Amino acid sequence: MNLLLFEPSEIENENIVWLQDRRSEHIINILGCRPGDTVRAGVINGPIGTAKVLTIRGKGKKAEVSLHFAAHDYQPEQPVIDLILGLVRPIMLKRLLAQVASLGVGRIFLINANRVEKSFFETNLLKDENYRPYLVHGLEQAKDTRMPQVSIHKRFRPFVADYIPAVSKTYCRMLVAHPEAETGLKQLEWPGQKGRILLAIGPEGGWVDFEINNFMEQSFVPVSMGERILRTDTAVVALLAQLMILTDYKEAT
Amino acid sequence: MNLLLFEPSEIENENIVWLQDRRSEHIINILGCRPGDTVRAGVINGPIGTAKVLTIRGKGKKAEVSLHFAAHDYQPEQPVIDLILGLVRPIMLKRLLAQVASLGVGRIFLINANRVEKSFFETNLLKDENYRPYLVHGLEQAKDTRMPQVSIHKRFRPFVADYIPAVSKTYCRMLVAHPEAETGLKQLEWPGQKGRILLAIGPEGGWVDFEINNFMEQSFVPVSMGERILRTDTAVVALLAQLMILTDYKEAT
């Protein structure tokens, strides 16, 4: 945990926060804080700042900590990349959500595809925002406060044929990962534009031709990692990292 | 499995290969091959080509397949990046070895560091090349035949102070990942050179100052991913992917 994160609703009058969960435990047992110490803290989708420990009551897992939060005058910028992901199995999704949040992504569209197992949509992970703690872990790791917005789309065709046309104008570039594409990200032109990017990465086993064609009809450009075929989890991190370096992606400073 | 891989020793007279393991099972049950069919195949550290199924004997896991291998006239190029990795816990190491092999790395130095748990060096995974199947999976995934060469270094200081000076001339650039570095990979100059790169990424928790200083004394340049602190497994894939795009990294064609 490189950044202590609060929900906006946790900040009470006079910027006081009371914690009694894994965060208070972390503050006491891992960071070894005492009253008067400060830790880096931030508000989800809000500013970054510092939190000063005021009181510590009790011990162990039940210890309760009160802190005073002082926001700095900035908050991390909105990420420029949104991600469409063919739904992967839950164990991989948990890891990927944390990794994607730590790299910085605005929206995550989890969508159906031919090679998605139907049972993946029934997992508890997708219910009642059970996936949210994994996103929080990624933000805590990367010192970011911008929570990716996750949406779940159980039908491929309406998502690509109806939803995408409605939002495509907000993107300066739409890309679909496809190992058979002859173009790598580097071969595309990357002017100094500030527009947003939408990247679609297939489920385990990849997109089928029908899906690639659907994306291309919506003006997605197929891109590959050269001759290599990467597993979905590797491709997500690799392509996001490459886009970060190719675009004018600015980190908060 | 996007490429069927043979050990050089498995190729018998007249380029015949006999298989009776997960590979023959894959050929029969997943690919549904019959005698006369061909599959993409390659020899570890050797050429890529095709393998023609000659005979199938038996069923299920005990099925035995014979194939005739025909090499094409090329083999994948030697990767330009070598990786120093602070040893991570075994479950993460298994995944990372496959991911690193799929991205293409020449050598992997698994080294000790202050934040490496000593027990990690005692795991069975590191004994008798038990890690090798994970590398093979990565190569099968990425259609590569170049097996990364793994070495294990239980003492940090001799590795950096004695071993590195002996090999540093073979690298045009040596980098150490450090979240506090002010330079990202993009800020470095990347002339069209063809030299090799050595990248050092810390264990979970990162390098300590002593270690960063030791690397810098050996002319390693600290690099970061901007403001973000990434977990080791994310940093490895992200930095390798960025280096692939920044260097004149050529995939086999």
Side-chain angles (χ1 to χ4, degrees), chain A residues 213-236:
Chain A
N213 291 338
N214 268 263
F215 280 116
M216 289 174 70
E217 279 168 18
Q218 302 297 333
S219 305
F220 279 71
V221 176
V223 290
S224 72
M225 295 279 293
E227 294 286 310
R228 296 177 187 282
I229 303 178
L230 300 182
R231 221 171 70 155
T232 298
D233 52 350
T234 313
V236 167

mmCIF file with all atom_site columns, all heavy atoms in Angstrom, chain A residues 213-236:
data_model
loop_
_atom_site.group_PDB
_atom_site.id
_atom_site.type_symbol
_atom_site.label_atom_id
_atom_site.label_alt_id
_atom_site.label_comp_id
_atom_site.label_asym_id
_atom_site.label_entity_id
_atom_site.label_seq_id
_atom_site.pdbx_PDB_ins_code
_atom_site.Cartn_x
_atom_site.Cartn_y
_atom_site.Cartn_z
_atom_site.occupancy
_atom_site.B_iso_or_equiv
_atom_site.pdbx_formal_charge
_atom_site.auth_seq_id
_atom_site.auth_comp_id
_atom_site.auth_asym_id
_atom_site.auth_atom_id
_atom_site.pdbx_PDB_model_num
ATOM 1   N N   . ASN A 1 213 ? -13.819 -8.656  -37.522 1.00 0.00 ? 213 ASN A N   1
ATOM 2   C CA  . ASN A 1 213 ? -14.510 -7.924  -38.595 1.00 0.00 ? 213 ASN A CA  1
ATOM 3   C C   . ASN A 1 213 ? -15.474 -6.881  -38.032 1.00 0.00 ? 213 ASN A C   1
ATOM 4   O O   . ASN A 1 213 ? -15.590 -5.780  -38.562 1.00 0.00 ? 213 ASN A O   1
ATOM 5   C CB  . ASN A 1 213 ? -15.256 -8.903  -39.498 1.00 0.00 ? 213 ASN A CB  1
ATOM 6   C CG  . ASN A 1 213 ? -14.287 -9.758  -40.301 1.00 0.00 ? 213 ASN A CG  1
ATOM 7   O OD1 . ASN A 1 213 ? -13.132 -9.373  -40.500 1.00 0.00 ? 213 ASN A OD1 1
ATOM 8   N ND2 . ASN A 1 213 ? -14.744 -10.926 -40.740 1.00 0.00 ? 213 ASN A ND2 1
ATOM 9   N N   . ASN A 1 214 ? -16.181 -7.245  -36.976 1.00 0.00 ? 214 ASN A N   1
ATOM 10  C CA  . ASN A 1 214 ? -17.095 -6.292  -36.348 1.00 0.00 ? 214 ASN A CA  1
ATOM 11  C C   . ASN A 1 214 ? -16.353 -5.059  -35.823 1.00 0.00 ? 214 ASN A C   1
ATOM 12  O O   . ASN A 1 214 ? -16.807 -3.933  -35.996 1.00 0.00 ? 214 ASN A O   1
ATOM 13  C CB  . ASN A 1 214 ? -17.838 -6.964  -35.194 1.00 0.00 ? 214 ASN A CB  1
ATOM 14  C CG  . ASN A 1 214 ? -19.153 -7.561  -35.637 1.00 0.00 ? 214 ASN A CG  1
ATOM 15  O OD1 . ASN A 1 214 ? -20.194 -6.951  -35.490 1.00 0.00 ? 214 ASN A OD1 1
ATOM 16  N ND2 . ASN A 1 214 ? -19.102 -8.751  -36.232 1.00 0.00 ? 214 ASN A ND2 1
ATOM 17  N N   . PHE A 1 215 ? -15.214 -5.310  -35.195 1.00 0.00 ? 215 PHE A N   1
ATOM 18  C CA  . PHE A 1 215 ? -14.425 -4.169  -34.706 1.00 0.00 ? 215 PHE A CA  1
ATOM 19  C C   . PHE A 1 215 ? -13.931 -3.316  -35.872 1.00 0.00 ? 215 PHE A C   1
ATOM 20  O O   . PHE A 1 215 ? -13.964 -2.086  -35.825 1.00 0.00 ? 215 PHE A O   1
ATOM 21  C CB  . PHE A 1 215 ? -13.228 -4.655  -33.871 1.00 0.00 ? 215 PHE A CB  1
ATOM 22  C CG  . PHE A 1 215 ? -13.576 -5.034  -32.451 1.00 0.00 ? 215 PHE A CG  1
ATOM 23  C CD1 . PHE A 1 215 ? -13.425 -6.332  -31.998 1.00 0.00 ? 215 PHE A CD1 1
ATOM 24  C CD2 . PHE A 1 215 ? -14.028 -4.070  -31.558 1.00 0.00 ? 215 PHE A CD2 1
ATOM 25  C CE1 . PHE A 1 215 ? -13.743 -6.682  -30.685 1.00 0.00 ? 215 PHE A CE1 1
ATOM 26  C CE2 . PHE A 1 215 ? -14.343 -4.409  -30.239 1.00 0.00 ? 215 PHE A CE2 1
ATOM 27  C CZ  . PHE A 1 215 ? -14.195 -5.717  -29.816 1.00 0.00 ? 215 PHE A CZ  1
ATOM 28  N N   . MET A 1 216 ? -13.486 -3.981  -36.931 1.00 0.00 ? 216 MET A N   1
ATOM 29  C CA  . MET A 1 216 ? -12.946 -3.225  -38.078 1.00 0.00 ? 216 MET A CA  1
ATOM 30  C C   . MET A 1 216 ? -14.048 -2.413  -38.760 1.00 0.00 ? 216 MET A C   1
ATOM 31  O O   . MET A 1 216 ? -13.789 -1.307  -39.249 1.00 0.00 ? 216 MET A O   1
ATOM 32  C CB  . MET A 1 216 ? -12.240 -4.172  -39.048 1.00 0.00 ? 216 MET A CB  1
ATOM 33  C CG  . MET A 1 216 ? -10.917 -4.704  -38.479 1.00 0.00 ? 216 MET A CG  1
ATOM 34  S SD  . MET A 1 216 ? -10.116 -5.948  -39.516 1.00 0.00 ? 216 MET A SD  1
ATOM 35  C CE  . MET A 1 216 ? -9.605  -4.929  -40.902 1.00 0.00 ? 216 MET A CE  1
ATOM 36  N N   . GLU A 1 217 ? -15.268 -2.942  -38.776 1.00 0.00 ? 217 GLU A N   1
ATOM 37  C CA  . GLU A 1 217 ? -16.382 -2.168  -39.343 1.00 0.00 ? 217 GLU A CA  1
ATOM 38  C C   . GLU A 1 217 ? -16.614 -0.877  -38.570 1.00 0.00 ? 217 GLU A C   1
ATOM 39  O O   . GLU A 1 217 ? -17.159 0.096   -39.093 1.00 0.00 ? 217 GLU A O   1
ATOM 40  C CB  . GLU A 1 217 ? -17.675 -3.006  -39.316 1.00 0.00 ? 217 GLU A CB  1
ATOM 41  C CG  . GLU A 1 217 ? -17.783 -3.991  -40.473 1.00 0.00 ? 217 GLU A CG  1
ATOM 42  C CD  . GLU A 1 217 ? -18.918 -4.989  -40.256 1.00 0.00 ? 217 GLU A CD  1
ATOM 43  O OE1 . GLU A 1 217 ? -19.806 -4.711  -39.416 1.00 0.00 ? 217 GLU A OE1 1
ATOM 44  O OE2 . GLU A 1 217 ? -18.888 -6.051  -40.909 1.00 0.00 ? 217 GLU A OE2 1
ATOM 45  N N   . GLN A 1 218 ? -16.229 -0.892  -37.296 1.00 0.00 ? 218 GLN A N   1
ATOM 46  C CA  . GLN A 1 218 ? -16.384 0.309   -36.466 1.00 0.00 ? 218 GLN A CA  1
ATOM 47  C C   . GLN A 1 218 ? -15.115 1.164   -36.455 1.00 0.00 ? 218 GLN A C   1
ATOM 48  O O   . GLN A 1 218 ? -14.931 2.002   -35.579 1.00 0.00 ? 218 GLN A O   1
ATOM 49  C CB  . GLN A 1 218 ? -16.758 -0.086  -35.034 1.00 0.00 ? 218 GLN A CB  1
ATOM 50  C CG  . GLN A 1 218 ? -18.031 -0.894  -34.920 1.00 0.00 ? 218 GLN A CG  1
ATOM 51  C CD  . GLN A 1 218 ? -19.252 -0.110  -35.407 1.00 0.00 ? 218 GLN A CD  1
ATOM 52  O OE1 . GLN A 1 218 ? -19.282 1.116   -35.365 1.00 0.00 ? 218 GLN A OE1 1
ATOM 53  N NE2 . GLN A 1 218 ? -20.255 -0.831  -35.913 1.00 0.00 ? 218 GLN A NE2 1
ATOM 54  N N   . SER A 1 219 ? -14.211 0.879   -37.404 1.00 0.00 ? 219 SER A N   1
ATOM 55  C CA  . SER A 1 219 ? -12.974 1.660   -37.579 1.00 0.00 ? 219 SER A CA  1
ATOM 56  C C   . SER A 1 219 ? -11.894 1.363   -36.545 1.00 0.00 ? 219 SER A C   1
ATOM 57  O O   . SER A 1 219 ? -10.979 2.171   -36.350 1.00 0.00 ? 219 SER A O   1
ATOM 58  C CB  . SER A 1 219 ? -13.249 3.168   -37.592 1.00 0.00 ? 219 SER A CB  1
ATOM 59  O OG  . SER A 1 219 ? -14.210 3.473   -38.569 1.00 0.00 ? 219 SER A OG  1
ATOM 60  N N   . PHE A 1 220 ? -12.002 0.215   -35.881 1.00 0.00 ? 220 PHE A N   1
ATOM 61  C CA  . PHE A 1 220 ? -10.872 -0.216  -35.053 1.00 0.00 ? 220 PHE A CA  1
ATOM 62  C C   . PHE A 1 220 ? -9.730  -0.656  -35.986 1.00 0.00 ? 220 PHE A C   1
ATOM 63  O O   . PHE A 1 220 ? -9.973  -1.267  -37.020 1.00 0.00 ? 220 PHE A O   1
ATOM 64  C CB  . PHE A 1 220 ? -11.248 -1.407  -34.169 1.00 0.00 ? 220 PHE A CB  1
ATOM 65  C CG  . PHE A 1 220 ? -11.996 -1.035  -32.922 1.00 0.00 ? 220 PHE A CG  1
ATOM 66  C CD1 . PHE A 1 220 ? -13.317 -0.591  -33.000 1.00 0.00 ? 220 PHE A CD1 1
ATOM 67  C CD2 . PHE A 1 220 ? -11.396 -1.144  -31.670 1.00 0.00 ? 220 PHE A CD2 1
ATOM 68  C CE1 . PHE A 1 220 ? -14.019 -0.267  -31.847 1.00 0.00 ? 220 PHE A CE1 1
ATOM 69  C CE2 . PHE A 1 220 ? -12.102 -0.812  -30.517 1.00 0.00 ? 220 PHE A CE2 1
ATOM 70  C CZ  . PHE A 1 220 ? -13.406 -0.367  -30.602 1.00 0.00 ? 220 PHE A CZ  1
ATOM 71  N N   . VAL A 1 221 ? -8.499  -0.348  -35.601 1.00 0.00 ? 221 VAL A N   1
ATOM 72  C CA  . VAL A 1 221 ? -7.316  -0.769  -36.360 1.00 0.00 ? 221 VAL A CA  1
ATOM 73  C C   . VAL A 1 221 ? -6.701  -1.982  -35.656 1.00 0.00 ? 221 VAL A C   1
ATOM 74  O O   . VAL A 1 221 ? -6.413  -1.908  -34.455 1.00 0.00 ? 221 VAL A O   1
ATOM 75  C CB  . VAL A 1 221 ? -6.278  0.374   -36.426 1.00 0.00 ? 221 VAL A CB  1
ATOM 76  C CG1 . VAL A 1 221 ? -5.006  -0.092  -37.120 1.00 0.00 ? 221 VAL A CG1 1
ATOM 77  C CG2 . VAL A 1 221 ? -6.876  1.589   -37.114 1.00 0.00 ? 221 VAL A CG2 1
ATOM 78  N N   . PRO A 1 222 ? -6.511  -3.102  -36.380 1.00 0.00 ? 222 PRO A N   1
ATOM 79  C CA  . PRO A 1 222 ? -5.886  -4.268  -35.748 1.00 0.00 ? 222 PRO A CA  1
ATOM 80  C C   . PRO A 1 222 ? -4.389  -4.035  -35.532 1.00 0.00 ? 222 PRO A C   1
ATOM 81  O O   . PRO A 1 222 ? -3.706  -3.512  -36.415 1.00 0.00 ? 222 PRO A O   1
ATOM 82  C CB  . PRO A 1 222 ? -6.093  -5.401  -36.770 1.00 0.00 ? 222 PRO A CB  1
ATOM 83  C CG  . PRO A 1 222 ? -7.040  -4.849  -37.795 1.00 0.00 ? 222 PRO A CG  1
ATOM 84  C CD  . PRO A 1 222 ? -6.894  -3.370  -37.777 1.00 0.00 ? 222 PRO A CD  1
ATOM 85  N N   . VAL A 1 223 ? -3.918  -4.385  -34.364 1.00 0.00 ? 223 VAL A N   1
ATOM 86  C CA  . VAL A 1 223 ? -2.487  -4.258  -34.055 1.00 0.00 ? 223 VAL A CA  1
ATOM 87  C C   . VAL A 1 223 ? -1.992  -5.550  -33.402 1.00 0.00 ? 223 VAL A C   1
ATOM 88  O O   . VAL A 1 223 ? -2.740  -6.236  -32.712 1.00 0.00 ? 223 VAL A O   1
ATOM 89  C CB  . VAL A 1 223 ? -2.190  -3.079  -33.086 1.00 0.00 ? 223 VAL A CB  1
ATOM 90  C CG1 . VAL A 1 223 ? -2.411  -1.747  -33.774 1.00 0.00 ? 223 VAL A CG1 1
ATOM 91  C CG2 . VAL A 1 223 ? -3.024  -3.176  -31.821 1.00 0.00 ? 223 VAL A CG2 1
ATOM 92  N N   . SER A 1 224 ? -0.718  -5.841  -33.644 1.00 0.00 ? 224 SER A N   1
ATOM 93  C CA  . SER A 1 224 ? -0.121  -7.055  -33.078 1.00 0.00 ? 224 SER A CA  1
ATOM 94  C C   . SER A 1 224 ? 1.141   -6.701  -32.299 1.00 0.00 ? 224 SER A C   1
ATOM 95  O O   . SER A 1 224 ? 1.579   -5.557  -32.279 1.00 0.00 ? 224 SER A O   1
ATOM 96  C CB  . SER A 1 224 ? 0.236   -8.037  -34.194 1.00 0.00 ? 224 SER A CB  1
ATOM 97  O OG  . SER A 1 224 ? 1.354   -7.558  -34.907 1.00 0.00 ? 224 SER A OG  1
ATOM 98  N N   . MET A 1 225 ? 1.712   -7.723  -31.658 1.00 0.00 ? 225 MET A N   1
ATOM 99  C CA  . MET A 1 225 ? 3.017   -7.575  -31.006 1.00 0.00 ? 225 MET A CA  1
ATOM 100 C C   . MET A 1 225 ? 4.061   -8.282  -31.865 1.00 0.00 ? 225 MET A C   1
ATOM 101 O O   . MET A 1 225 ? 4.831   -9.105  -31.373 1.00 0.00 ? 225 MET A O   1
ATOM 102 C CB  . MET A 1 225 ? 2.991   -8.195  -29.613 1.00 0.00 ? 225 MET A CB  1
ATOM 103 C CG  . MET A 1 225 ? 2.071   -7.543  -28.622 1.00 0.00 ? 225 MET A CG  1
ATOM 104 S SD  . MET A 1 225 ? 2.793   -6.049  -27.877 1.00 0.00 ? 225 MET A SD  1
ATOM 105 C CE  . MET A 1 225 ? 4.162   -6.727  -26.909 1.00 0.00 ? 225 MET A CE  1
ATOM 106 N N   . GLY A 1 226 ? 4.093   -7.986  -33.146 1.00 0.00 ? 226 GLY A N   1
ATOM 107 C CA  . GLY A 1 226 ? 5.017   -8.683  -34.032 1.00 0.00 ? 226 GLY A CA  1
ATOM 108 C C   . GLY A 1 226 ? 4.566   -10.117 -34.241 1.00 0.00 ? 226 GLY A C   1
ATOM 109 O O   . GLY A 1 226 ? 3.375   -10.413 -34.285 1.00 0.00 ? 226 GLY A O   1
ATOM 110 N N   . GLU A 1 227 ? 5.536   -11.017 -34.332 1.00 0.00 ? 227 GLU A N   1
ATOM 111 C CA  . GLU A 1 227 ? 5.216   -12.417 -34.590 1.00 0.00 ? 227 GLU A CA  1
ATOM 112 C C   . GLU A 1 227 ? 4.636   -13.109 -33.364 1.00 0.00 ? 227 GLU A C   1
ATOM 113 O O   . GLU A 1 227 ? 4.085   -14.201 -33.448 1.00 0.00 ? 227 GLU A O   1
ATOM 114 C CB  . GLU A 1 227 ? 6.481   -13.177 -35.001 1.00 0.00 ? 227 GLU A CB  1
ATOM 115 C CG  . GLU A 1 227 ? 7.072   -12.747 -36.324 1.00 0.00 ? 227 GLU A CG  1
ATOM 116 C CD  . GLU A 1 227 ? 6.235   -13.256 -37.490 1.00 0.00 ? 227 GLU A CD  1
ATOM 117 O OE1 . GLU A 1 227 ? 5.927   -14.459 -37.509 1.00 0.00 ? 227 GLU A OE1 1
ATOM 118 O OE2 . GLU A 1 227 ? 5.884   -12.446 -38.360 1.00 0.00 ? 227 GLU A OE2 1
ATOM 119 N N   . ARG A 1 228 ? 4.796   -12.494 -32.220 1.00 0.00 ? 228 ARG A N   1
ATOM 120 C CA  . ARG A 1 228 ? 4.449   -13.165 -30.975 1.00 0.00 ? 228 ARG A CA  1
ATOM 121 C C   . ARG A 1 228 ? 2.947   -13.181 -30.719 1.00 0.00 ? 228 ARG A C   1
ATOM 122 O O   . ARG A 1 228 ? 2.273   -12.181 -30.931 1.00 0.00 ? 228 ARG A O   1
ATOM 123 C CB  . ARG A 1 228 ? 5.148   -12.472 -29.798 1.00 0.00 ? 228 ARG A CB  1
ATOM 124 C CG  . ARG A 1 228 ? 6.628   -12.581 -29.888 1.00 0.00 ? 228 ARG A CG  1
ATOM 125 C CD  . ARG A 1 228 ? 7.361   -11.858 -28.801 1.00 0.00 ? 228 ARG A CD  1
ATOM 126 N NE  . ARG A 1 228 ? 8.786   -11.909 -29.097 1.00 0.00 ? 228 ARG A NE  1
ATOM 127 C CZ  . ARG A 1 228 ? 9.539   -12.987 -28.865 1.00 0.00 ? 228 ARG A CZ  1
ATOM 128 N NH1 . ARG A 1 228 ? 9.014   -14.036 -28.278 1.00 0.00 ? 228 ARG A NH1 1
ATOM 129 N NH2 . ARG A 1 228 ? 10.801  -13.000 -29.203 1.00 0.00 ? 228 ARG A NH2 1
ATOM 130 N N   . ILE A 1 229 ? 2.458   -14.297 -30.243 1.00 0.00 ? 229 ILE A N   1
ATOM 131 C CA  . ILE A 1 229 ? 1.093   -14.361 -29.736 1.00 0.00 ? 229 ILE A CA  1
ATOM 132 C C   . ILE A 1 229 ? 1.200   -14.366 -28.217 1.00 0.00 ? 229 ILE A C   1
ATOM 133 O O   . ILE A 1 229 ? 1.812   -15.252 -27.640 1.00 0.00 ? 229 ILE A O   1
ATOM 134 C CB  . ILE A 1 229 ? 0.376   -15.645 -30.214 1.00 0.00 ? 229 ILE A CB  1
ATOM 135 C CG1 . ILE A 1 229 ? 0.394   -15.727 -31.746 1.00 0.00 ? 229 ILE A CG1 1
ATOM 136 C CG2 . ILE A 1 229 ? -1.052  -15.686 -29.682 1.00 0.00 ? 229 ILE A CG2 1
ATOM 137 C CD1 . ILE A 1 229 ? -0.256  -16.998 -32.286 1.00 0.00 ? 229 ILE A CD1 1
ATOM 138 N N   . LEU A 1 230 ? 0.638   -13.363 -27.590 1.00 0.00 ? 230 LEU A N   1
ATOM 139 C CA  . LEU A 1 230 ? 0.724   -13.274 -26.131 1.00 0.00 ? 230 LEU A CA  1
ATOM 140 C C   . LEU A 1 230 ? -0.570  -13.735 -25.494 1.00 0.00 ? 230 LEU A C   1
ATOM 141 O O   . LEU A 1 230 ? -1.652  -13.585 -26.065 1.00 0.00 ? 230 LEU A O   1
ATOM 142 C CB  . LEU A 1 230 ? 1.009   -11.834 -25.702 1.00 0.00 ? 230 LEU A CB  1
ATOM 143 C CG  . LEU A 1 230 ? 2.305   -11.224 -26.218 1.00 0.00 ? 230 LEU A CG  1
ATOM 144 C CD1 . LEU A 1 230 ? 2.478   -9.804  -25.671 1.00 0.00 ? 230 LEU A CD1 1
ATOM 145 C CD2 . LEU A 1 230 ? 3.513   -12.073 -25.837 1.00 0.00 ? 230 LEU A CD2 1
ATOM 146 N N   . ARG A 1 231 ? -0.469  -14.297 -24.312 1.00 0.00 ? 231 ARG A N   1
ATOM 147 C CA  . ARG A 1 231 ? -1.654  -14.629 -23.545 1.00 0.00 ? 231 ARG A CA  1
ATOM 148 C C   . ARG A 1 231 ? -2.359  -13.337 -23.152 1.00 0.00 ? 231 ARG A C   1
ATOM 149 O O   . ARG A 1 231 ? -1.721  -12.285 -23.024 1.00 0.00 ? 231 ARG A O   1
ATOM 150 C CB  . ARG A 1 231 ? -1.248  -15.412 -22.291 1.00 0.00 ? 231 ARG A CB  1
ATOM 151 C CG  . ARG A 1 231 ? -2.170  -16.571 -21.981 1.00 0.00 ? 231 ARG A CG  1
ATOM 152 C CD  . ARG A 1 231 ? -1.609  -17.426 -20.888 1.00 0.00 ? 231 ARG A CD  1
ATOM 153 N NE  . ARG A 1 231 ? -1.636  -16.733 -19.599 1.00 0.00 ? 231 ARG A NE  1
ATOM 154 C CZ  . ARG A 1 231 ? -1.665  -17.343 -18.418 1.00 0.00 ? 231 ARG A CZ  1
ATOM 155 N NH1 . ARG A 1 231 ? -1.685  -18.664 -18.362 1.00 0.00 ? 231 ARG A NH1 1
ATOM 156 N NH2 . ARG A 1 231 ? -1.672  -16.662 -17.299 1.00 0.00 ? 231 ARG A NH2 1
ATOM 157 N N   . THR A 1 232 ? -3.669  -13.405 -22.946 1.00 0.00 ? 232 THR A N   1
ATOM 158 C CA  . THR A 1 232 ? -4.443  -12.193 -22.659 1.00 0.00 ? 232 THR A CA  1
ATOM 159 C C   . THR A 1 232 ? -3.828  -11.366 -21.534 1.00 0.00 ? 232 THR A C   1
ATOM 160 O O   . THR A 1 232 ? -3.678  -10.144 -21.663 1.00 0.00 ? 232 THR A O   1
ATOM 161 C CB  . THR A 1 232 ? -5.889  -12.566 -22.285 1.00 0.00 ? 232 THR A CB  1
ATOM 162 O OG1 . THR A 1 232 ? -6.478  -13.218 -23.408 1.00 0.00 ? 232 THR A OG1 1
ATOM 163 C CG2 . THR A 1 232 ? -6.706  -11.317 -21.961 1.00 0.00 ? 232 THR A CG2 1
ATOM 164 N N   . ASP A 1 233 ? -3.443  -12.014 -20.433 1.00 0.00 ? 233 ASP A N   1
ATOM 165 C CA  . ASP A 1 233 ? -2.954  -11.232 -19.293 1.00 0.00 ? 233 ASP A CA  1
ATOM 166 C C   . ASP A 1 233 ? -1.644  -10.519 -19.616 1.00 0.00 ? 233 ASP A C   1
ATOM 167 O O   . ASP A 1 233 ? -1.408  -9.404  -19.154 1.00 0.00 ? 233 ASP A O   1
ATOM 168 C CB  . ASP A 1 233 ? -2.832  -12.090 -18.023 1.00 0.00 ? 233 ASP A CB  1
ATOM 169 C CG  . ASP A 1 233 ? -2.025  -13.355 -18.228 1.00 0.00 ? 233 ASP A CG  1
ATOM 170 O OD1 . ASP A 1 233 ? -1.706  -13.696 -19.382 1.00 0.00 ? 233 ASP A OD1 1
ATOM 171 O OD2 . ASP A 1 233 ? -1.707  -14.010 -17.224 1.00 0.00 ? 233 ASP A OD2 1
ATOM 172 N N   . THR A 1 234 ? -0.797  -11.158 -20.418 1.00 0.00 ? 234 THR A N   1
ATOM 173 C CA  . THR A 1 234 ? 0.452   -10.510 -20.817 1.00 0.00 ? 234 THR A CA  1
ATOM 174 C C   . THR A 1 234 ? 0.171   -9.385  -21.807 1.00 0.00 ? 234 THR A C   1
ATOM 175 O O   . THR A 1 234 ? 0.743   -8.295  -21.717 1.00 0.00 ? 234 THR A O   1
ATOM 176 C CB  . THR A 1 234 ? 1.413   -11.531 -21.449 1.00 0.00 ? 234 THR A CB  1
ATOM 177 O OG1 . THR A 1 234 ? 1.476   -12.687 -20.629 1.00 0.00 ? 234 THR A OG1 1
ATOM 178 C CG2 . THR A 1 234 ? 2.813   -10.957 -21.610 1.00 0.00 ? 234 THR A CG2 1
ATOM 179 N N   . ALA A 1 235 ? -0.740  -9.647  -22.740 1.00 0.00 ? 235 ALA A N   1
ATOM 180 C CA  . ALA A 1 235 ? -1.037  -8.652  -23.782 1.00 0.00 ? 235 ALA A CA  1
ATOM 181 C C   . ALA A 1 235 ? -1.614  -7.373  -23.181 1.00 0.00 ? 235 ALA A C   1
ATOM 182 O O   . ALA A 1 235 ? -1.292  -6.270  -23.628 1.00 0.00 ? 235 ALA A O   1
ATOM 183 C CB  . ALA A 1 235 ? -2.002  -9.245  -24.811 1.00 0.00 ? 235 ALA A CB  1
ATOM 184 N N   . VAL A 1 236 ? -2.468  -7.512  -22.180 1.00 0.00 ? 236 VAL A N   1
ATOM 185 C CA  . VAL A 1 236 ? -3.093  -6.326  -21.574 1.00 0.00 ? 236 VAL A CA  1
ATOM 186 C C   . VAL A 1 236 ? -2.022  -5.401  -21.003 1.00 0.00 ? 236 VAL A C   1
ATOM 187 O O   . VAL A 1 236 ? -1.974  -4.205  -21.304 1.00 0.00 ? 236 VAL A O   1
ATOM 188 C CB  . VAL A 1 236 ? -4.106  -6.737  -20.483 1.00 0.00 ? 236 VAL A CB  1
ATOM 189 C CG1 . VAL A 1 236 ? -4.507  -5.535  -19.637 1.00 0.00 ? 236 VAL A CG1 1
ATOM 190 C CG2 . VAL A 1 236 ? -5.337  -7.374  -21.112 1.00 0.00 ? 236 VAL A CG2 1
#
